[in-house]
């Protein structure tokens, strides 16, 4: 296509156009959408060719019929023509059925700038429309080879955009979404649609957008500068009073020149005053806003006054990308309080956060669809794909735009949006496949979570390094976990991995986990119903996902079990069912803790054997690869396998102790005293730090790492000054409290043991409870020495072959295992593994999934559980803890604890803090935005429990990449 005008010879190279491949069944609206899209692109100054499928067939496929094979050949001709035209510099809009995976894949591989838009309409709706009478003829047998009827329609595998064109979607909004997608894909390329509105000040941007917006309204305003106010305040007040709404409640807002800029939003730095009535109050509010500009001293800074939006049904903040740059709409909103500022102020713990993949707006719930439509329209008008949008829904049902500004996001290491879309499509398919009924599993459906059972979120993080993930699978979740459960009398799941990796994000297959907690001798019918009950209960109460063993499943016999089984009776389980389960749990529990043959004793002996074998491996005259291999092999056989058993015994011990409280043998204080009296590794560290010389202390505890599986987490003996203050006097550790049962308590427990047919005496039971809790901690202390030594050797091996420690974090342990049993170049194998891991992890870092997945659709769109903290930045920091109530001069270099994400705390950023944690707040609060801009690691909205727990620590590690908080000291 020729363009008017001449250009200098040096500029005559034609850049390829884009191909918009609009596909869907006959009658889905492809032609209408394609014509409107072509018109809009031409309006933006692009040369465009529109190709309609029916017209194309008469021109380039007249020799072909309508069979599946001929349709495929016709579609390939369309595709090649599109590529030819795009190579000449024109955008091509092609409206065609062409529902063949082969053609779609060819397009992706051979057409640069290919954009696949799938118009999805149910066949019942197409039959209802049937403007061409095609479906009616097919139903009468008068038409053959109709796609979707007797020719299979292969729905796109990874479309760039899915539009459900059978509801409220109008053609203009659909085109807006396509153009927004194009802006995201093309970045700032010359092919991008022209910007309609440029960012200015907050007030000026709203004013420019007001007449253009179709999806929302903008409140009227009176705008003036600081200079205007200082020169003639009376005229400003008169202008406010003269507005039709001037005598009602108003909001006085800041609009500084340096506010809402592309590189620095200054979110929350300046004041706004809400609910102001009367000229005197308006004047005071204006002075307050101007005072918040004090550091600027710029008379060009603006203030604007707007009517207050009353009877608010919903208000919040929407991002058009995640802070890490991922292609997500994120909506943080409040639909309870009737206020507009709770999200930005970070106030309250009942805010909702919704994530939606940008290419799947169809997955958004109806209540939030207008917000996504608004954000998409703003992306087009502002030609910006990373926006921070404040909005509200008034009592009149209308959506209002309150503010829009560029969102500062991480650009380095950002994965291509198409790769994210394709990866999540892969995850959704895997979720569907793993959710099908399985002949060797009980339960009719699956569910996946990051916290149940061997909770990977806590142990390795939600985005672990490839080496961490591969080691965790090798040592625990591929096989060891199931061997232990089988050995202890539960169902045999030895061929099932417990952990599945969704493109590097580790999830527990909860159905498999629930199966593994059913005693082996429970009948299949009862086992099936139990697993379904557990899954249904977790779906109904997802906040229990990190407490399933305490709150949902029945995995051991305790003194309060008959009472707890009442929930099963309420759910339709018969007395025979309850008796069968109770008996099976009793037999299993007796076997685990009974006398000298108790299973935990055998596991405790294996741990002692591992402690003896570690020095032999480390001192042996074998190469590093062999030493690494044998440290890991020994760790599995004599470390993590017995540790898994002792962890099970420890859990049963805690459950039994809690049952003492539930049946009234102990009170809560006595149970706490018992726990404090137990001699664990954790208590001994404190005692030894107070008593031992530094060298001796590190010889004993130096192998420990805050991140057990993380090669980048320094050992205690590698960075002792990071973890401990050796300069000041170390006060002696307080003595452990003494616990003793009274004669009456002993008699009561003895009677209960006989009543419940538990084959153990009181003293042996107390021994078991103490040994179970102590053994779990001791076994972890021992096996982590093998693991920590192996990590150190992997780091050394990498250095010998030109890999940094960070490079080694991207390795897969499978590579090292293969190097032990195969010949070949060690350097090449390590470099290839690290390169592959780095590439995969770059994508992993840009994926966001819910903490619990119950259906494939939740991969694309989901609400975060209210208790899920928000981690800002992808950084990690280890530092001492401080409270906002401490003297400010002590904040430097510390992780600061702040009650809320209120913008009034903006001053903390002048204090050189290392990071901060808020009790309340969402991912889109002002403090979250500022943390992202300044690159300060932060945990926003930790909730009361976690906030209070972490605040009591002396030193924390905020690992925002893995979304973990580690208590260091």
């Amino acid at each position: 296509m020729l363009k008017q005008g001449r250009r200098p010879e040096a500029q005559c190279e034609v850049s390829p156009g884009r191909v918009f491949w609009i596909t869907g069944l006959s009658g889905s609206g492809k032609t209408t959408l394609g014509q409107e899209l072509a018109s809009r692109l031409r309006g933006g100054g692009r040369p465009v060719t529109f190709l309609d499928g029916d017209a194309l067939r008469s021109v380039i496929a007249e020799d072909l019929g309508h069979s599946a094979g001929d349709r495929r050949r016709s579609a390939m001709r369309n595709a090649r023509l599109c590529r030819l035209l795009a190579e000449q510099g024109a955008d091509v809009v092609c409206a065609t059925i062409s529902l063949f995976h082969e053609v779609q894949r060819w397009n992706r591989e051979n057409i640069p700038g290919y954009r696949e838009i799938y118009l999805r309409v149910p066949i019942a709706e197409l039959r209802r429309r049937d403007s061409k009478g095609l479906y009616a003829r097919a139903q009468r047998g008068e038409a053959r080879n109709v796609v979707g009827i007797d020719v299979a329609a292969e729905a796109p595998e990874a479309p760039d955009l899915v539009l459900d064109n059978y509801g409220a979607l109008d053609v203009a909004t659909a085109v807006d979404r396509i153009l927004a997608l194009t802006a995201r894909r093309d970045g700032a390329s010359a092919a991008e649609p022209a910007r309609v509105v440029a960012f200015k000040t907050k007030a000026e941007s709203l004013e420019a957008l007001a007449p253009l917006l179709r999806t929302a309204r903008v409140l009227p305003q009176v705008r003036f500068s600081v200079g205007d106010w200082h020169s003639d305040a009376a005229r400003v007040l008169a202008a406010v009073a003269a507005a039709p709404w001037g005598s009602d409640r108003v909001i006085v807002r800041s609009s500084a020149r340096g506010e809402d800029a592309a590189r620095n939003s200054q979110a929350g730095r300046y004041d706004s005053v809400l609910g102001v009535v009367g000229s005197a109050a308006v004047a005071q509010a204006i002075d307050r806003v101007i005072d918040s500009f004090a550091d600027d001293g710029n008379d060009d800074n603006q203030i604007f006054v707007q009517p207050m939006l009353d009877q608010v049904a919903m208000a919040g903040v929407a991002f058009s990308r995640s802070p890490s740059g991922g292609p997500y709409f994120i909506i943080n909103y409040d639909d309870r309080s009737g206020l507009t500022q709770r999200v930005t102020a970070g106030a309250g713990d009942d805010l909702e956060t919704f994530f939606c993949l940008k290419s799947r707006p169809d997955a958004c719930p109806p209540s939030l669809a207008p917000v996504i439509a608004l954000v998409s329209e703003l992306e087009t008008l502002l030609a910006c794909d990373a926006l921070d949008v404040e909005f509200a829904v008034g009592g009149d049902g209308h959506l209002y735009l309150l503010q829009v500004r560029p969102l500062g996001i991480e650009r380095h290491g950002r994965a291509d949006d198409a790769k994210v879309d394709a990866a999540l499509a892969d995850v959704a398919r895997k979720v569907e496949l793993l959710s099908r009924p399985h002949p060797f599993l009980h339960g009719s459906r699956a569910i996946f979570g990051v916290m149940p059972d061997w909770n990977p979120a806590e142990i390795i993080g939600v985005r672990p390094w490839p080496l961490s993930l591969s080691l965790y699978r090798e040592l625990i979740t591929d096989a060891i976990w199931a061997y232990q459960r089988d050995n202890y009398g539960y169902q045999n799941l030895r061929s099932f991995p417990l952990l599945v990796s969704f493109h590097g994000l580790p999830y527990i297959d909860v159905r498999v986990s629930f199966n593994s907690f059913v005693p082996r001798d429970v009948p299949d019918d009862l086992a099936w119903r139990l697993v379904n009950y557990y899954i249904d209960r977790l779906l109904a109460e997802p906040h229990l996902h990190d407490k399933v063993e305490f709150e949902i499943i029945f995995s051991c016999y305790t003194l309060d079990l008959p009472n707890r089984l009442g929930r099963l009776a309420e759910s339709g389980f018969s007395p025979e069912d309850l008796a069968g389960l109770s008996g099976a749990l009793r037999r299993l529990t007796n076997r685990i803790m009974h006398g000298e043959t108790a299973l935990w004793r055998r596991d405790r002996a294996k741990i002692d054997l591992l402690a003896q074998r570690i020095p032999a491996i480390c001192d042996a005259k074998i190469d590093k690869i062999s030493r690494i291999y044998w440290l890991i092999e020994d760790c599995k056989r004599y470390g993590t396998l017995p540790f898994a058993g002792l962890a099970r015994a420890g859990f049963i011990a805690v459950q039994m102790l809690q049952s003492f409280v539930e049946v009234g043998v102990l009170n809560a204080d006595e149970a706490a005293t018992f726990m404090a009296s137990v001699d664990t590794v954790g208590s001994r560290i404190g005692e030894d730090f107070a008593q031992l010389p530094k060298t001796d202390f590190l010889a004993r505890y130096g192998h420990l790492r805050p991140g057990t599986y993380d090669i980048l987490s320094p050992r205690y003996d590698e960075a002792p000054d990071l973890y401990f203050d050796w300069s000041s006097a170390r006060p002696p550790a307080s003595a452990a409290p003494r616990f003793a049962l009274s004669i009456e308590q002993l008699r009561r427990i003895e009677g209960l043991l006989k009543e419940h047919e538990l084959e153990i005496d009181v003293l042996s039971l107390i021994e078991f409870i103490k040994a179970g809790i102590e053994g779990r901690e001791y076994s972890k202390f021992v096996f982590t020495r093998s693991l920590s030594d192996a990590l150190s050797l992997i780091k050394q091996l990498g250095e010998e072959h030109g890999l940094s420690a960070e490079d080694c974090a991207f390795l897969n342990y499978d590579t090292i295992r293969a190097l032990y049993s195969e010949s070949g170049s060690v350097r090449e194998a390590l470099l290839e593994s690290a390169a592959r891991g780095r590439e995969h992890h770059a994508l992993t870092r840009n994926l966001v999934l819910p903490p619990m997945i119950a259906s494939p659709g939740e991969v694309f769109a989901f609400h975060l559980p209210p208790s899920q903290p928000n981690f800002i930045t992808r950084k990690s920091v280890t530092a001492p803890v401080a409270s906002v109530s401490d003297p400010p001069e002590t904040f430097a270099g510390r992780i600061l604890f702040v009650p809320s994400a209120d913008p009034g705390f903006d001053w903390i950023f002048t204090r050189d803090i290392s990071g901060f944690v808020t009790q309340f707040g969402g991912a889109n609060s002002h403090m979250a935005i500022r943390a992202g801009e300044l690159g300060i690691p932060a945990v926003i909205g930790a909730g009361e429990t976690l906030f209070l727990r972490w605040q009591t620590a002396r030193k924390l590690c905020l690992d925002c990449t893995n979304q973990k908080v580690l208590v260091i000291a």
Side-chain angles (χ1 to χ4, degrees):
M1 182 177 291
L2 297 176
K3 293 186 178 181
Q4 295 180 352
R6 294 177 58 84
R7 293 180 296 170
E9 206 58 39
Q11 298 180 19
C12 284
E13 291 185 7
V14 178
S15 60
R18 300 161 297 185
V19 173
F20 297 86
W21 186 270
I22 303 175
T23 185
L25 293 173
S26 178
S28 58
K30 301 183 297 297
T31 300
T32 302
L33 177 60
Q35 290 172 336
E36 177 66 18
L37 174 60
S39 175
R40 290 273 290 276
L41 290 170
R42 289 191 190 101
R46 293 288 303 170
V48 181
T49 297
F50 173 65
L51 303 175
D52 179 70
D54 290 340
L56 272 176
R57 170 172 281 275
S58 66
V59 175
I60 65 173
E62 195 173 15
D63 59 318
L64 299 177
H66 291 83
S67 67
D70 280 354
R71 285 180 178 276
R72 184 178 289 104
R73 283 187 283 274
S74 176
M76 283 303 306
R77 293 178 185 180
N78 295 350
R80 291 189 174 96
L81 177 60
C82 288
R83 182 176 68 170
L84 179 64
L85 293 172
E87 287 173 347
Q88 312 308 309
D91 283 347
V92 181
V93 179
C94 184
T96 176
I97 296 176
S98 301
L99 288 168
F100 299 103
H101 290 163
E102 175 188 343
V103 177
Q104 296 156 8
R105 291 167 187 160
W106 188 91
N107 289 348
R108 289 194 178 280
E109 294 170 2
N110 295 278
I111 304 178
Y114 176 68
R115 302 288 178 257
E116 189 172 286
I117 298 99
Y118 176 36
L119 277 180
R120 184 168 57 189
V121 182
I123 193 69
E125 173 64 15
L126 294 174
R127 290 181 188 275
R128 187 190 66 78
R129 296 178 187 174
D130 204 12
S131 59
K132 300 177 183 178
L134 177 65
Y135 296 105
R137 293 198 305 275
Q139 189 170 6
R140 293 193 300 267
E142 300 170 5
R144 297 179 59 192
N145 295 321
V146 177
V147 180
I149 303 297
D150 52 357
V151 173
E154 297 178 356
E157 296 174 300
D160 296 288
L161 183 63
V162 178
L163 295 171
D164 284 319
N165 191 26
Y166 54 91
L169 183 70
D170 61 85
V171 67
T173 301
V175 172
D176 285 343
R177 292 185 182 176
I178 295 171
L179 294 177
L181 168 75
T182 302
R184 295 195 299 272
R185 292 288 194 268
D186 297 345
S189 71
E192 187 176 289
R195 185 192 301 271
V196 178
V197 175
F199 283 108
K200 296 182 180 178
T201 65
K202 182 193 304 182
E204 290 169 344
S205 295
L206 288 173
E207 184 180 64
L209 289 164
L212 302 175
L213 281 178
R214 293 193 302 272
T215 55
R217 299 179 177 185
V218 177
L219 294 167
Q221 62 173 266
V222 173
R223 185 179 72 251
F224 50 93
S225 69
V226 173
D228 294 335
W229 176 253
H230 287 158
S231 63
D232 195 344
R235 186 172 66 84
V236 171
L237 291 174
V240 174
W245 39 267
S247 60
D248 299 329
R249 296 171 71 239
V250 300
I251 177 172
V252 181
R253 306 179 65 188
S254 65
S255 185
R257 290 290 175 187
E259 191 176 4
D260 294 356
R263 293 186 179 275
N264 190 6
S265 73
Q266 302 290 340
R269 178 175 178 181
Y270 306 116
D271 283 348
S272 290
V273 186
L274 289 71
V276 183
V277 181
S279 293
V282 169
Q284 290 179 350
I286 292 171
D287 286 334
R288 176 176 161 186
V289 173
I290 292 175
D291 287 343
S292 70
F293 296 154
D295 294 342
D296 293 355
N298 186 346
D299 276 359
D300 290 335
N301 283 335
Q302 298 171 346
I303 303 97
F304 66 117
V305 183
Q306 293 180 294
M308 276 290 292
L309 193 61
D310 291 320
Q311 297 180 335
V312 175
M314 178 173 64
V317 177
F319 288 175
S320 64
R321 279 196 178 272
S322 70
S324 63
Y328 294 90
F329 294 113
I330 307 175
I331 306 175
N332 193 198
Y333 64 97
D334 166 25
D335 58 359
R336 294 180 177 88
S337 72
L339 304 174
T340 59
Q341 72 276 18
R342 290 182 79 226
V343 171
T344 55
D349 58 357
D350 57 354
L351 305 176
E352 300 282 354
T353 301
F354 176 72
F355 281 75
C356 181
L357 188 67
K358 296 188 80 167
S359 62
R360 294 297 304 269
D362 54 292
C364 179
S367 62
L368 297 178
V371 178
I372 286 183
L374 166 62
V375 176
S376 298
E377 184 182 12
L378 289 170
E379 286 184 313
T380 302
L381 292 172
L382 295 162
C384 177
D385 73 340
L387 296 175
D388 169 5
V389 179
E390 293 184 23
F391 66 89
V393 177
D396 55 6
H398 291 298
L399 177 63
Y400 290 86
L401 172 65
L402 304 182
Q403 186 169 329
V404 58
R405 56 185 165 225
L407 177 66
I409 61 173
E410 295 184 35
R411 300 284 179 180
H412 178 69
R414 174 175 142 188
D416 181 76
D417 289 357
K419 290 184 177 180
V420 174
D421 291 348
L424 291 178
D426 290 340
V427 173
R429 280 192 291 272
K430 179 57 71 174
V431 169
E432 191 277 325
L433 291 172
L434 292 176
S435 297
R436 295 176 182 178
H438 193 285
F440 307 127
L441 280 178
H442 302 300
S444 54
R445 61 179 301 179
I447 189 170
F448 305 89
V450 299
M451 287 298 291
D453 209 336
W454 286 92
N455 46 354
E458 178 182 345
I459 299 172
I460 56 174
V462 296
R463 293 181 184 84
W465 300 113
L467 180 61
S468 301
L469 177 57
S470 62
L471 282 169
Y472 191 54
R473 297 173 75 167
E474 179 77 15
L475 290 173
I476 302 286
T477 64
D478 276 355
I480 294 299
W481 78 280
Y483 274 69
Q484 175 270 318
R485 301 271 163 90
D486 183 32
N487 290 343
Y488 270 53
Y490 296 97
Q491 298 276 332
N492 183 354
L493 277 296
R494 290 194 179 203
S495 297
F496 289 91
L498 179 65
L499 183 149
V500 293
S501 172
F502 294 139
H503 273 281
L505 303 179
Y507 277 75
I508 296 298
D509 186 331
V510 180
R511 177 172 58 171
V512 171
S513 169
F514 285 168
N515 271 262
S516 77
F517 285 119
V518 177
R520 186 182 301 136
D521 52 352
V522 166
D524 285 346
D525 172 68
L526 177 55
W528 180 275
R529 287 183 287 121
L530 272 175
V531 172
N532 277 338
Y533 164 81
Y534 295 154
I535 291 173
D536 291 342
R537 175 95 188 277
L538 181 56
L539 289 173
E541 301 179 75
H543 60 281
L544 299 177
H545 71 135
D546 58 343
K547 310 171 187 68
V548 292
E549 282 198 70
F550 289 99
E551 302 289 346
I552 294 180
I553 66 175
F554 302 94
S555 63
C556 65
Y557 195 97
T558 56
L559 300 179
D560 62 338
L561 179 67
N563 293 333
R564 293 193 293 119
L565 289 177
R567 293 203 65 142
L568 289 181
E570 294 170 3
S571 298
F573 287 80
S574 69
E576 292 76 18
D577 292 333
L578 303 187
L581 176 61
S582 179
L585 290 173
R586 183 186 296 108
R587 290 188 293 273
L588 179 147
T589 304
N590 278 330
R591 181 167 176 257
I592 291 173
M593 64 182 187
H594 178 65
E596 293 302 317
T597 61
L599 295 173
W600 68 269
R601 295 184 187 276
R602 182 185 62 190
D603 285 334
R604 182 62 172 77
K606 283 186 178 180
I607 289 293
D608 290 335
L609 183 58
L610 176 64
Q612 298 169 20
R613 291 173 65 96
I614 292 173
I617 296 173
C618 291
D619 296 339
K621 294 182 179 180
I622 54 178
D623 62 281
K624 281 191 177 66
I625 292 173
S626 297
R627 189 171 290 120
I628 295 166
Y629 174 82
W630 280 108
L631 280 170
I632 296 300
E633 285 300 304
D634 254 34
C635 189
K636 286 192 296 184
R637 181 176 301 178
Y638 303 108
T640 54
L641 180 60
F643 166 68
L646 290 166
R648 175 106 308 266
F651 172 80
I652 294 173
V654 172
Q655 284 277 80
M656 191 67 72
L657 181 67
Q658 289 179 347
S659 76
F660 285 178
V661 177
E662 293 298 322
V663 300
V665 174
L666 298 179
N667 60 39
D669 289 340
E670 288 171 324
T673 299
F674 178 89
M675 291 295 293
S677 71
V678 176
D679 182 22
T680 65
V681 172
S683 62
R684 264 180 269 143
I685 287 179
E687 296 170 5
D688 288 345
F689 180 68
Q691 299 172 4
L692 294 178
K694 179 178 180 179
T695 304
D696 294 347
F697 178 84
L698 293 176
R700 184 172 298 177
Y701 300 104
H703 69 278
L704 296 177
R705 305 171 186 261
T708 302
Y709 292 80
D710 185 358
I711 196 170
L712 298 181
S713 178
R715 294 163 50 119
Y716 283 4
D717 55 12
E718 291 175 342
D721 296 336
L722 173 67
Y723 301 115
F724 302 100
D725 181 5
W726 308 93
S727 60
S728 57
R730 289 174 264 168
S734 56
R738 183 176 177 275
F739 175 83
L741 291 169
S742 68
I743 298 298
E744 178 58 33
Q745 287 172 321
L746 288 169
R747 288 174 177 166
R748 178 87 186 278
I749 295 172
E750 188 73 43
L752 287 168
L753 293 177
K754 291 179 180 177
E755 177 187 336
H756 290 270
E757 301 178 37
L758 291 174
E759 299 168 356
I760 192 170
D761 60 68
V762 178
L763 295 181
S764 296
L765 176 61
I766 297 301
E767 179 197 12
F768 165 74
I769 295 175
K770 291 192 68 173
I773 297 169
E774 293 171 355
R776 176 181 58 190
E777 299 303 312
Y778 175 70
S779 59
K780 182 178 181 180
F781 175 75
V782 175
F783 94 71
T784 55
R785 181 180 292 276
S786 289
L787 174 57
S788 188
D789 287 349
L791 287 171
S792 296
L793 287 168
I794 292 172
K795 182 178 176 182
Q796 294 173 23
L797 181 68
E799 290 172 350
E800 291 173 2
H801 293 278
L803 280 74
S804 67
E806 183 178 334
D807 293 332
C808 292
F810 294 109
L811 294 171
N812 189 306
Y813 177 70
D814 292 348
T815 300
I816 296 173
R817 190 189 327 105
L819 285 171
Y820 173 76
S821 58
E822 299 173 3
S823 62
S825 169
V826 174
R827 175 180 169 81
E828 288 181 9
L830 294 178
L831 288 174
E832 180 183 350
S833 179
R836 187 165 54 248
R838 187 182 293 274
E839 180 183 356
H840 290 172
H841 196 63
L843 179 58
T844 301
R845 289 162 65 97
N846 284 274
L847 302 181
V848 182
L849 292 174
M852 199 168 73
I853 303 173
S855 68
E858 292 176 359
V859 169
F860 304 111
F862 57 90
H863 276 88
L864 275 186
S867 61
Q868 184 80 3
N870 301 281
F871 289 80
I872 311 301
T873 79
R874 293 185 297 194
K875 296 183 177 180
S876 176
V877 62
T878 299
V881 168
S883 170
V884 74
S885 59
D886 295 335
E889 59 269 23
T890 66
F891 290 177
R894 294 177 178 266
I895 295 171
L896 191 63
F897 276 69
V898 185
S900 71
D902 191 310
F905 287 106
D906 194 78
W907 57 271
I908 68 173
F909 299 121
T910 67
R911 292 291 179 172
D912 195 26
I913 60 173
S914 293
F916 67 97
V917 178
T918 72
Q919 181 171 343
F920 301 119
N924 301 359
S925 66
H926 284 306
M927 294 283 275
I929 296 168
R930 294 286 280 145
E933 291 171 350
L934 299 172
I936 297 177
V939 179
I940 305 293
E944 182 178 7
T945 302
L946 291 175
F947 185 87
L948 295 176
R949 182 190 306 166
W950 295 336
Q951 192 176 27
T952 59
R954 289 191 295 107
K955 184 177 288 188
L956 289 178
C957 172
L958 304 187
D959 183 355
C960 294
T961 294
N962 284 310
Q963 299 190 10
K964 291 170 62 179
V965 177
L966 300 173
V967 176
I968 305 300

